[in-house]
């Protein structure tokens, strides 16, 4: 064990510090912290980024060979009344999360195909970061299709429900 004395008579196990640094490299973590009694060791790795902002995107799902490339997702409007797509009448997810079709496992579904819905009525719930977010009907209409399954992960802008006039 390699021990180094600091000016205030504290001892640091340099082997442990090197092991922690190796763990950072192997796991691609940015920092790690260990406490043993009064001793606390925190190792931080500074990540540098080449010029320009870093953007993250989900990997596209594999498509069949004959399928056309998916169209880019348009940004979601902030006004709930415009969530219905003008051409497709789709109610889209305003966030990334997990969709739930009913309030609890034993409760009935909020909607089913053929139901008449009123503006503001809850169609389903999207859970994001342990927060349940009701997705409401942007206008009166009839449920033409429910495009997602219960407990299915959804992406921002993904169509959830089709509404007819």
């Amino acid at each position: 064990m390699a021990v180094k004395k600091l000016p205030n008579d504290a001892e640091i196990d340099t082997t442990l510090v090197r092991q922690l640094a190796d763990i950072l490299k192997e796991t691609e973590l940015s920092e790690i912290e260990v406490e043993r009694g009064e001793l606390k060791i925190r190792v931080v790795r500074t990540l540098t980024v080449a010029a320009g902002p870093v953007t993250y995107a989900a990997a596209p799902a594999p498509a069949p060979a004959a399928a056309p490339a998916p169209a880019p997702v348009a940004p979601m409007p902030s006004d709930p009344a415009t969530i219905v797509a003008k051409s497709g009448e789709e109610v889209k997810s305003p966030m990334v999360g997990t969709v739930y079709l009913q309030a609890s496992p034993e409760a009935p579904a909020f909607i089913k195909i053929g139901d008449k819905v009123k503006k503001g009525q809850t169609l389903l719930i999207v859970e994001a970061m342990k927060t349940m977010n009701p997705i409401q009907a942007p206008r009166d209409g009839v449920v033409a299709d429910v495009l997602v399954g219960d407990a299915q992960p959804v992406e921002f802008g993904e169509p959830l429900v089709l509404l007819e006039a």
Side-chain angles (χ1 to χ4, degrees):
M1 174 168 92
V3 176
K4 186 172 184 174
K5 282 255 188 202
L6 296 177
N8 60 359
D9 289 333
E11 293 181 354
I12 298 291
D13 180 355
T14 56
T15 304
L16 175 61
V17 174
R18 290 183 199 285
Q19 288 172 340
L20 293 172
D22 288 340
I23 291 171
L24 284 179
K25 287 179 190 172
E26 291 170 13
T27 60
E28 297 184 10
L29 291 171
S30 60
E31 69 179 71
I32 191 167
E33 188 172 315
V34 175
E35 286 187 53
R36 288 188 181 164
E38 298 276 326
L39 179 65
K40 182 189 242 184
I41 298 174
R42 181 171 171 230
V43 180
V44 178
R45 180 170 72 136
T46 304
L47 303 174
T48 57
V49 179
V54 176
T55 57
Y56 296 95
V73 176
M76 288 296 294
S78 59
D79 178 16
T82 59
I83 291 179
V84 173
K86 290 175 176 42
S87 62
E89 306 239 354
E90 298 171 336
V91 177
K92 297 181 179 185
S93 179
M95 65 196 71
V96 174
T98 302
V99 75
Y100 293 103
L101 302 178
Q102 65 265 358
S104 66
E106 58 279 346
F110 290 111
I111 57 168
K112 60 185 179 299
I113 296 173
D115 282 354
K116 291 182 181 182
V117 294
K118 296 283 186 191
K119 180 178 180 176
Q121 178 179 337
T122 299
L123 302 174
L124 43 83
I125 293 173
V126 175
E127 177 203 1
M129 299 178 65
K130 303 200 187 258
T131 301
M132 299 298 178
N133 301 284
I135 306 303
Q136 299 174 340
R139 62 172 180 81
D140 293 354
V142 176
V143 177
D145 200 1
V146 178
L147 305 171
V148 292
D150 192 46
Q152 175 184 326
V154 294
E155 295 292 327
F156 172 80
E158 183 174 338
L160 304 172
V161 175
L162 281 176
L163 286 182
E164 292 178 339

